[in-house]
Amino acid sequence: MISIAKPVLGHEEIDAVKQVLASGQITQGRLTKELEQRFANLCDSNFAVALNNGTAALHTALYALGIGKGDEVIVPPFTFVATANAVLMQQASLVFADVEDETFNLDPGQVEKHITPRTKAIIAVNLYGHPADYDSLRALADKHDLFIIEDAAQSHGALYHGRPAGSLGDIAAFSFYATKNMMCAEGGIITTTKDDWAEKCRRFRHHGQSEQTRYEYDDLGYNYRMNDIQAAIALEQLKRLHDMNEKRILNARALTRGLGHVDHIQTPVVREGVRHVYHQYTILVEKHRDALLNHLRDNGVGAGVYYPKPLHLHPHFRKLGFSEGDFPVSELLSTKVISLPVHPSVSEKDIEKIISVVKSGVKA
Ligand SMILES: *Cc1c(COP(=O)(O)O)cnc(C)c1O
């Protein structure tokens, strides 16, 4: 089976973990700091704050911007559940806005329709590794005095008109979960250019305590700390990130060469000025998506569906008053998407096989 995801793990990561364990300094320390400095560099940001996962990073980013009860935050319904849950964790009001059918990202026209005097922020997701339409979103944010939070969990190393993911909004949240473009099993990080937001993030991850005055608590916080075992892995992954992304991009090009002209499927669209880093390579299947999915799996291609149901149709969000028909593009996409293996360990031979199995499985 050609798997849909596989972390690249070499002796470098293993040696780095051994060194941390041998040093005895295993909780948050020097290596976490080093990761923060290097990751801030990657993202053209002044500050990075490392956390124990990407969900914590989103929650912490919302806190740092002062978002809470009574504030509305606009989020796409076609994303991983963490994007929306982070809003609820801060007791803010969740407002969905539909996505574009080409890039799968927030549709700025739909966002504008949902802006009210209570809107405080937009969470733009760079879904599958393709940055959202930040020029349009920034124009809206400036006009209505809103923050842009970048959910960059799937887009380490992506570019938008020369600017890196992590620098495209006011504050950004990344995940280092095992399947992401770079990983440390579980982990997350925030990037921002503002000193006081970075300081709020550091406190929030440590029960509200500043690094200067210990056992003094100014505000609520959590234990969202990263440890140096995670940081050691992430530092090795960061060294590999460019090569791993280049391999994803090469694999994606080869898939598009083989599938671009096949009837009834649409290969990924890449907008001008974008470096898409293909966290997922996602095609749209016009008809009989589930039949193709079964055919792929029966023939050794581990295809995935991200996401099989838009968030607003889950009981957890229906309770908030959302229902079928509210976000038609997201609802349609969830019946048509298939993600094909594109990760760095997918070989040229695997690509040939994926292309031929897709071709033999597509039905009119
Ligand atoms: C993975 C992911 C997250 C959450 O990250 P975790 O590290 O799993 O908590 C948030 N948003 C998106 C879009 C993701 O893909």
Side-chain angles (χ1 to χ4, degrees):
M1 181 71 100
I2 306 169
S3 65
I4 186 68
K6 184 169 185 264
V8 177
L9 269 171
H11 68 84
E12 294 87 349
E13 283 82 357
I14 293 167
D15 290 346
V17 168
K18 279 187 186 161
Q19 270 188 29
V20 181
L21 293 176
S23 79
Q25 170 54 54
I26 55 178
T27 58
Q28 187 180 296
R30 181 180 65 79
L31 293 174
T32 303
K33 266 217 157 51
E34 186 179 338
L35 174 66
E36 290 173 340
Q37 279 157 7
R38 292 187 190 275
F39 202 84
N41 255 359
L42 172 80
C43 299
D44 277 354
S45 298
N46 296 338
F47 306 98
V49 180
L51 301 129
N52 57 349
N53 60 65
T55 308
L58 281 166
H59 182 195
T60 302
L62 284 156
Y63 167 82
L65 298 181
I67 289 162
K69 222 183 172 89
D71 298 330
E72 293 175 2
V73 181
I74 299 177
V75 173
F78 194 64
T79 178
F80 183 57
V81 66
T83 317
N85 275 345
V87 175
L88 302 179
M89 288 173 187
Q90 274 305 96
Q91 278 90 48
S93 300
L94 180 62
V95 176
F96 285 125
D98 214 346
V99 298
E100 305 174 336
D101 59 358
E102 279 194 351
T103 64
F104 311 101
N105 286 326
L106 265 183
D107 179 339
Q110 292 299 317
V111 170
E112 185 159 31
K113 284 189 190 160
H114 288 90
I115 294 172
T116 76
R118 298 195 333 172
T119 309
K120 268 283 180 63
I122 301 164
I123 307 184
V125 182
N126 304 329
L127 202 72
Y128 309 142
H130 188 300
D133 179 358
Y134 288 95
D135 285 345
S136 305
L137 293 174
R138 177 53 69 193
L140 285 176
D142 285 348
K143 186 170 160 200
H144 299 277
D145 200 17
L146 314 174
F147 294 122
I148 299 177
I149 298 161
E150 209 186 331
D151 182 343
Q154 305 187 355
S155 60
H156 323 63
L159 296 172
Y160 178 82
H161 300 292
R163 291 183 291 136
S167 72
L168 303 172
D170 294 291
I171 193 164
F174 290 84
S175 165
F176 298 139
Y177 180 66
T179 61
K180 308 283 158 128
N181 293 50
M182 63 172 279
M183 64 102 223
C184 61
E186 296 271 9
I189 202 162
I190 289 170
T191 54
T192 183
T193 49
K194 265 187 92 169
D195 194 2
D196 59 326
W197 289 342
E199 179 56 22
K200 281 195 172 126
C201 292
R202 281 183 218 111
R203 290 183 188 208
F204 198 63
R205 80 173 159 190
H206 199 159
H207 290 292
Q209 174 185 287
S210 97
E211 283 167 8
Q212 283 71 46
T213 49
R214 303 203 55 193
Y215 302 107
E216 289 287 335
Y217 309 102
D218 291 335
D219 201 3
L220 176 67
Y222 292 73
N223 176 359
Y224 280 169
R225 294 186 302 272
M226 177 179 273
N227 64 54
D228 270 17
I229 304 170
Q230 294 165 296
I233 301 171
L235 276 165
E236 292 307 320
Q237 290 272 302
L238 191 53
K239 292 182 198 160
R240 297 182 190 277
L241 178 64
H242 184 76
D243 289 348
M244 292 194 295
N245 277 340
E246 284 299 309
K247 186 66 178 12
R248 284 177 185 270
I249 291 165
L250 279 178
N251 283 342
R253 282 199 193 124
L255 286 169
T256 295
R257 266 198 305 277
L259 298 172
H261 301 289
V262 176
D263 285 344
H264 309 296
I265 68 171
Q266 188 190 302
T267 51
V269 170
V270 185
R271 287 274 159 83
E272 207 194 310
V274 160
R275 182 188 194 228
H276 188 332
V277 290
Y278 296 98
H279 171 61
Q280 298 294 351
Y281 180 93
T282 303
I283 60 171
L284 287 175
V285 186
E286 213 173 273
K287 284 182 260 182
H288 310 300
R289 190 270 313 271
D290 292 339
L292 178 58
L293 190 66
N294 289 332
H295 175 80
L296 286 163
R297 288 174 179 169
D298 290 347
N299 288 279
V301 177
V305 172
Y306 311 105
Y307 297 89
K309 207 199 269 191
L311 294 181
H312 67 286
L313 298 183
H314 291 267
H316 170 48
F317 299 102
R318 280 186 192 261
K319 277 185 280 187
L320 302 174
F322 300 107
S323 58
E324 201 139 0
D326 285 352
F327 307 101
V329 178
S330 296
E331 289 171 28
L332 196 66
L333 289 175
S334 66
T335 67
K336 297 195 168 193
V337 289
I338 289 188
S339 298
L340 300 171
V342 74
H343 58 82
S345 304
V346 173
S347 68
E348 276 176 47
K349 231 180 115 208
D350 293 335
I351 297 280
E352 277 171 36
K353 178 174 169 178
I354 295 164
I355 291 167
S356 89
V357 176
V358 171
K359 280 182 170 169
S360 67
V362 181
K363 296 201 189 71

